[in-house]
Amino acid sequence: MDLLTAIFDAAARETMLFAATGLLIGGIDDLIVDLCFLAHRWSKRKAVRPTLATLPRPASPGAFAVFVAAWDEEAVIGGMLAAAVARFEHPDYRLYVGVYPNDPGTIAAATAVAATDSRIRVVIGSRDGPTTKADCLNTLWTALMRDEAAGRVTKAVVLHDAEDVVHPAELTVFDTMIEGRSVVQLPVLPLIRRGSMVSAHYADEFSYAHSVQQPVRAMLGAAMPLAGTGCAIATPILAAIAAERDGAPFDESSLTEDYELGLHVAARGGGSCFARIRDSHDGSLVAVRAYFPDALPTATRQKARWMTGIALAGWDRTGWGRPLALADHWMRMRDRRALVSVLVLAVAYVAVLLWPLAVVLHWLAGTPVADDRLATWLLTTTSVLLGWRLAMRAVCTARDYGWREAAWSLPRFFVGNLISLIAAPRALHRYLKLLRGAPLVWDKTRHEFPDLDMASNV
């Protein structure tokens, strides 16, 4: 019994010390970001919060090209396109929909809506799908360049996914905010499916990321990665990138071309802006709204792709940013800590299981549990930091979804942990396959277009 107790004691202590040290480092890192955000908010406390009413008119109003890449999107593309042309308030735009010759269902759904509105152009690629999303976007870029050669001048390219609900004032915001900048990103608001903890955890994560992290990146002058939807990229910067890539501005060898594009724009000196602007009448946020995966397998697939593209392949492909740009280095380190964080998290859960077992063995053996001051200090400190993290997430969720959802964000935090734990091995396996030369394939999930009345209430 004494030997068994000693073994469990040692295992519990070592796993706890490892996990607590990792959580302490990560917690301090998160705390610094939050303090930067709060300090910035305090410094701007007297400033007028931007709304559509206070948004200045663009100095040079322009035309926009909205790119929608679609593979196997028969179920949603028709509804998305019809809603977009009905909702957009901007007077000058075209919707370019990229489809594949071996996807007749998506082609039929897109062309049916295009027949009702001349602003929609269905562009069929030359290769069977699925290739990659970047390849499909490059097909749309080629179509846009043909239109520009015919005399049309486009101010910026706007990216959207086939399941998105667009905000009516989105292009109006882009028209003003893109002037003098290369990139503008809007917030993304995942729609919460009733009773689904999996889909709802995306709401908590995006609310925090797009309320705190992205504004801090912009404040510090760090490169701002794009979300892949709800973003506008100035046409000249895309043309400059395309000129160096045989006419293809979107990198077809990347799993997360949106994330990397934002970094490439910053490396070229392009200015960026994260725009949180509310409607003056109803207070709604000018943002992209869409359903995210609501099942554990699809959520882990998506998270694994993000981990592979950002934390693993992104490290190889984009490095650490501009020399001596400490904010860039710090933010990219945060982007790439996902797998380390998952390892720490896994060890922490092991420690949570081992610690009470060790206490029970001490009780059975009639021996006292050793007083470990270091362990007590680490557990206390990391618990305080965890409480801060949960409170910040809850406040951000409350701003976008109300306090009822903010209360649910606490148990959803652990749902997100479970998804990350399952996704990490899948991401590592996929990365190793890529290193061995496996081809890139568009790893997408099934989508559902939401009820527009429900989406408008978020």
Side-chain angles (χ1 to χ4, degrees), residues 223 237 260-270 318 321-322 328 332:
I237 194 78
E260 293 185 14
L261 180 60
L263 305 186
H264 288 312
V265 168
R268 292 172 171 272
T318 61
R322 296 161 287 183
D328 256 3
R332 295 194 193 198

Side-chain angles (χ1 to χ4, degrees), residues 238-300:
L238 280 176
I241 296 173
E244 297 179 358
R245 293 182 180 170
D246 298 324
F250 302 96
D251 195 337
E252 298 172 16
S253 63
S254 172
L255 280 171
T256 49
E257 75 294 326
D258 45 4
Y259 172 87
E260 293 185 14
L261 180 60
L263 305 186
H264 288 312
V265 168
R268 292 172 171 272
S272 61
C273 170
F274 190 84
R276 284 187 66 91
I277 297 177
R278 293 192 177 272
D279 191 307
S280 316
H281 301 293
D282 60 13
S284 66
L285 197 63
V286 179
V288 179
R289 292 160 174 84
Y291 279 135
F292 277 65
D294 65 338
L296 197 62
T298 50
T300 53

Side-chain angles (χ1 to χ4, degrees), residues 7 22 30 42-43 58 82 122 189 193 198 236 239 258 283 292 301 319 329-330 391 394 397 415 422 426 445:
I7 291 173
D30 291 335
W42 177 256
S43 69
V122 180
L189 289 183
R193 299 174 191 261
V198 173
D258 45 4
F292 277 65
R301 277 178 52 202
H329 301 337
W330 178 27
T397 301
V415 173
I422 299 172
R426 183 186 182 108
T445 53

